[in-house]
Amino acid sequence: MPAPITISTNEQEWIKKYLQETYDITVVDAFDCQALSDAILKEKGTTISYSTFRRLFDLVANTNTQSRFVLNTLAAAVGFKNWEVFKHHVASFDTNVINQNIQIYSRQLPNSSILILETIKKLPITTWMGGYQLQNIIAIAIENNDFDLLQKVVHLPFEIEKQNVYEHLVIGFQSFYFQSIKNNEAVIQFVTSTIGTSIVLQKCLLQAYVDEKYLDRFLGKWFDAVQENTLPDLLLFKNLLLCQKSFNHKEMDKASVYFKVALKEFKKSNEVIHPILKARIGVWELVLNTNKQKLDFYFESLDNPFDIADFAVIGSRLLWTYYDAKLPISFLDTITLKEFPSVKDFFQKGRYNLLLLTLAINHYLKEEHQQAEDYFKLFNATTFGFDIVNIEFYLPLIERLTSKNKLM
C-alpha cells in the first residue's frame, strides 16, 4: 500500500482557500464539511468524505498526510489536473511573490512591465484573491497611464467560459468601469478602441456592468464599437440596449428599428438565449408592440431557478420603468423559493437577494402588505451583486417598504 503523502502548511492553506471559494462554503464545523462533500459530489460526481475535510480543516487531529488518490481528487475538485500540478502552482507562485512583483511594478522599476505581465498570466484567477490582485494591478496601470500593458492584458487568453474564472475577472476589470463613471476620458477611449477585438472586455466589462444610465455616455460608445458577434448574442444584446436608449430619448421610430434588428438576431441565433435577453425582448414586445404573450411565453419556458430569477428581476424592473410603475406582475406569483439551493455563488447570491426584493415590491403593489413584509425581511440591503448598477431604481422602493414595515 502506497505511503501517505505529507501536505505542507502552505499547500494546506491554499487547498482550503480554493475549496471554500470554489464551492462558496466557509468551513467552521462538521456540518460545513458535509456540505462541502455534498457540493463536490453534485458538481464533480466524485466523493470525498466529510471526515477527510474534518482533518484537512483541523477540526479533528490531523497528521497533514493524505493518500495520493485523495489529494488528486481534492486538486481535481478545484480545477487542477492532479495534486502535482496543484503543488507546482503553489510552489512556483505564492502570494508573497505576487505582492512583491506588484510593488516592483508600482515603482516602475526597469523591466517591471514585462515582469507584471508574466505575473498576471500566473495569477490564481480561479480565486477571489487572484481577482483582487488583478484589480490592483489594473488600477496601478491606469494610474500610470500604462495602456501598452493594458492592451496586452485585455487580449490574454483567459478561460472566461469557466464560471470561477469569469466571476473573478469581472472583479479584476472593474477599475475600467469605476474610472469611466468618473469620466476618465483616457480609460473610456482605451476601452472604446480595444473592445471590438477583446472578448474579455466584451464579456467581463460590457456585459457585466450594464449601467443603463450611461447609455448616452461611455456605455453607448462601447456598444457602437462592437460590430461583430464575437460572443454569442452580443449583437442581440447591443441592439436591445440601443432600443432602450432610443426609447429614453422618445425616438420611437429609432427604438422600433433597433428592436427589429434585435429580433432578427434572436431568430437566427443557434445559441441558447440567456434569460435576461429573453426578459428584455418580452418587455419591449409589450412596450412597443403591445404583445404580452411573448413575455409570459419566455418566462414559462424557464425551469432553472436562477434563470427564473434573472428573468424575474430584470423583466420586473424594466416593466416598472417603461410600462407601468404600479403594475402587479402575474408571473412573479408562480415563483417558489424552495427551488433555490442553499449554496450560491457571488452572482447567484446577489440575484436571489434582488428576487426577494422584487417579490416584496410586487406584493406591496398588490396591497398584500403581510406578504410584502415577509419577503422584505428576507432581503439583505447590502447584497446586490452586479445589480448594484441599478441601485437608484431600488432605493426609493426600499425606503417605502421600510417605512411601511415600521407602521405595521
Side-chain angles (χ1 to χ4, degrees), residues 249-315:
H249 289 284
K250 297 183 170 50
E251 299 173 339
M252 301 308 172
D253 291 342
K254 217 175 193 181
S256 294
V257 169
Y258 281 124
F259 187 56
K260 287 178 182 177
V261 174
L263 289 178
K264 185 178 177 181
E265 292 291 332
F266 177 53
K267 289 174 182 176
K268 75 179 186 182
S269 175
N270 295 320
E271 304 288 336
V272 176
I273 303 300
H274 196 282
I276 290 177
L277 296 179
K278 286 185 176 180
R280 290 183 181 277
I281 293 169
V283 168
W284 291 113
E285 282 280 17
L286 176 58
V287 173
L288 296 175
N289 301 329
T290 62
N291 181 353
K292 186 179 184 297
Q293 286 70 32
K294 288 290 178 69
L295 188 66
D296 292 333
F297 173 76
Y298 294 145
F299 179 80
E300 290 165 6
S301 71
L302 305 173
D303 52 18
N304 179 284
F306 289 107
D307 286 350
I308 291 170
D310 284 341
F311 188 104
V313 170
I314 302 299

Side-chain angles (χ1 to χ4, degrees), residues 210-213 215 237 241 244 248 276 279-280 283-284 287 309-325 327 329 331-332 351 354 357-358 361 386-395 397:
V210 190
D211 200 336
E212 297 162 8
K213 59 184 172 292
L215 279 168
F237 174 61
L241 268 292
Q244 183 173 330
N248 289 338
I276 290 177
R280 290 183 181 277
V283 168
W284 291 113
V287 173
D310 284 341
F311 188 104
V313 170
I314 302 299
S316 299
R317 178 177 59 79
L318 292 174
L319 284 170
W320 288 327
T321 302
Y322 292 104
Y323 188 68
D324 184 349
L327 175 72
I329 300 172
F331 63 69
L332 292 177
R351 188 52 50 82
L354 261 291
L357 178 58
T358 299
I361 294 167
F386 286 97
D387 289 295
I388 190 71
V389 297
N390 300 306
I391 187 69
E392 287 83 359
F393 170 82
Y394 291 108
L395 284 177
L397 293 164

